[in-house]
Amino acid sequence: MSTTPPNTGIHDESIRHAFVLRLFSIVGLSLTGAMGILALANATYTLGFSLLVASFSYLVAFVVQTKTHNAILASSIIACSLYSLMIYLVYAGGVANTGPLWVFIVAPVSMFIQGLKRGLIGLSIFSLIIVLIMFVPGEFFSNESYEPEFKLRFILSFLTVIFLSACYEYSREKSQNHTLQLSKQYEQLALTDQLTQLANRRGAFNKIEIEQARMARSKEPLSLILCDVDHFKKINDDYGHLTGDAVLIKLAERFKSLVRGQDMVARWGGEEFLFILPGTSVENAALVAQKIHDALAQEKIVHQGRELTITVSMGVVEMQVGGTVDTAINCADKYLYQAKNSGRNQTFPKLL
């Protein structure tokens, strides 16, 4: 089992998106609030109150994003407030019939804060309402009269802005996803041993840290097995380093097949492997070690027509709550050398 590290690219993008939502909320709050007060001062009460309601909505979105970190809800509040205000401006005309000019900010803002899919859905509904207001006759749909040429050019211009905003957002999301995928691959490579495709030492440390935190919460045991291939130097000397590499690869495959999904086998260095066994006492870890001995004894490793008898020596230790990784590894290492000095192909301490 490999541990997937936290994807820092996704985390950074979430932070950026949250910052943009807060920034837009503050700007929208300030701008619509100031314009609302100015409209009230000029006795344009309906417009003024509409702007103040929009300003309050931006305040709500800011509080939601800051307190709950719910970006979807905050962006939805901002978008709905923006849509509603723009619909009112097109309906009422705004100051000197300039209300529709503000509509052009809707497309890029909606795409940016909601993303391509949600942005397009919202803009489609918004555009339909704008078309009804401008082209359906009668006071129910429109409080102002716009020239036919203006209406046609306005709608075409707005649809063009939507198209360009969608193209930009599609390109941005595609580039971002590609970057995040590369980042994830590089992070995984940094935690993986390229020969055996097991976790490397850094990946093992990450796994142990995660399991230590879980152990502190659940009080379940966590055991380690440090394993060393016996007489590995002789294999390299007698058959060559390519054969030695093949032995490590096949051992890695065998070891992974002998542990559970939540366990990890890591290449600790050279011909050493580290087994990380969450929820496993030292007695049960000794059973795992014995299962490894038995599996290697029953089935030889075959490479280029040669049958190689491979044995391993192991040291088993159970980590203590509050103990350090170095202390546990050093303890396992001492047991491993006891196994080596006692004739190899065995596990220390003797618990079975």
Side-chain angles (χ1 to χ4, degrees):
M1 173 182 174
S2 63
T3 300
T4 301
N7 198 312
T8 56
I10 294 176
H11 181 64
D12 292 343
E13 175 62 19
S14 298
I15 293 175
R16 184 198 66 81
H17 190 223
F19 171 76
V20 169
L21 288 176
R22 289 195 294 269
L23 179 63
F24 190 85
S25 298
I26 293 173
V27 172
L29 168 66
S30 304
L31 187 60
T32 54
M35 293 177 67
I37 293 172
L38 183 62
L40 291 177
N42 292 330
T44 314
Y45 297 115
T46 305
L47 177 60
F49 283 121
S50 299
L51 288 166
L52 290 179
V53 169
S55 181
F56 178 74
S57 299
Y58 294 130
L59 175 62
V60 171
F62 178 82
V63 172
V64 167
Q65 176 58 42
T66 304
K67 298 297 184 182
T68 70
H69 306 291
N70 190 332
I72 293 178
L73 179 58
S75 63
S76 297
I77 293 172
I78 293 172
C80 289
S81 175
L82 184 63
Y83 293 153
S84 300
L85 180 60
M86 294 301 117
I87 288 170
Y88 169 76
L89 289 177
V90 173
Y91 173 81
V95 178
N97 251 18
T98 59
L101 299 180
W102 288 96
V103 169
F104 290 102
I105 69 170
V106 172
V109 169
S110 182
M111 291 287 184
F112 197 71
I113 66 174
Q114 291 191 295
L116 182 62
K117 185 177 180 180
R118 292 174 60 228
L120 281 176
I121 292 173
L123 286 170
S124 298
I125 298 172
F126 176 77
S127 300
L128 178 61
I129 295 174
I130 296 300
V131 168
L132 290 174
I133 291 174
M134 286 195 156
F135 289 95
V136 175
E139 293 185 359
F140 177 78
F141 283 104
S142 179
N143 196 43
E144 285 294 330
S145 177
Y146 300 102
E147 294 296 326
E149 292 81 3
F150 172 81
K151 292 189 288 187
L152 181 61
R153 285 169 172 75
F154 172 78
I155 292 297
L156 291 176
S157 298
F158 182 60
L159 292 177
T160 301
V161 172
I162 291 177
F163 173 74
L164 294 175
S165 299
C167 288
Y168 171 78
E169 185 62 22
Y170 172 77
S171 176
R172 191 190 70 82
E173 287 186 2
K174 188 174 182 181
S175 176
Q176 176 190 329
N177 291 337
H178 178 66
T179 302
L180 291 176
Q181 185 64 32
L182 286 177
S183 175
K184 185 177 180 180
Q185 290 175 359
Y186 288 139
E187 287 174 349
Q188 190 62 41
L189 284 173
L191 301 175
T192 303
D193 175 63
Q194 296 308 297
L195 177 65
T196 62
Q197 296 303 302
L198 297 176
N200 59 16
R201 183 173 291 213
R202 181 181 173 190
F205 271 118
N206 285 358
K207 173 71 170 176
I208 294 173
E209 287 177 0
I210 293 171
E211 296 303 335
Q212 274 186 304
R214 183 180 289 117
M215 178 178 67
R217 293 192 304 269
S218 66
K219 308 304 179 184
E220 291 185 349
L222 170 63
S223 293
L224 306 177
I225 301 175
L226 189 59
C227 169
D228 185 86
V229 182
D230 295 331
H231 303 296
F232 186 73
K233 183 177 183 302
K234 180 173 174 56
I235 295 173
N236 280 332
D237 292 342
D238 291 350
Y239 303 108
H241 288 279
L242 291 179
T243 299
D245 287 348
V247 167
L248 293 177
I249 292 170
K250 291 183 178 181
L251 279 175
E253 294 171 353
R254 185 76 55 81
F255 290 159
K256 284 193 294 184
S257 70
L258 294 172
V259 297
R260 304 165 301 175
Q262 65 264 39
D263 300 331
M264 172 183 276
V265 185
R267 187 181 179 193
W268 192 243
E271 67 272 23
E272 285 189 336
F273 296 86
L274 182 69
F275 293 76
I276 304 168
L277 310 174
T280 305
S281 65
V282 68
E283 292 82 9
N284 287 332
L287 290 174
V288 174
Q290 186 58 49
K291 184 167 70 170
I292 293 169
H293 285 303
D294 293 342
L296 294 179
Q298 291 170 8
E299 186 177 347
K300 294 183 179 181
I301 289 180
V302 179
H303 178 67
Q304 293 183 346
R306 299 189 185 98
E307 285 191 352
L308 303 176
T309 300
I310 304 297
T311 63
V312 295
S313 300
M314 290 178 274
V316 181
V317 66
E318 182 176 325
M319 293 197 66
Q320 303 300 313
V321 176
T324 66
V325 178
D326 288 341
T327 300
I329 294 296
N330 287 336
C331 183
D333 196 47
K334 290 177 181 177
Y335 285 133
L336 169 61
Y337 276 94
Q338 285 184 35
K340 289 280 189 184
N341 293 332
S342 299
R344 294 183 170 86
N345 192 25
Q346 55 189 301
T347 298
F348 267 70
K350 294 292 186 179
L351 300 171
L352 301 178

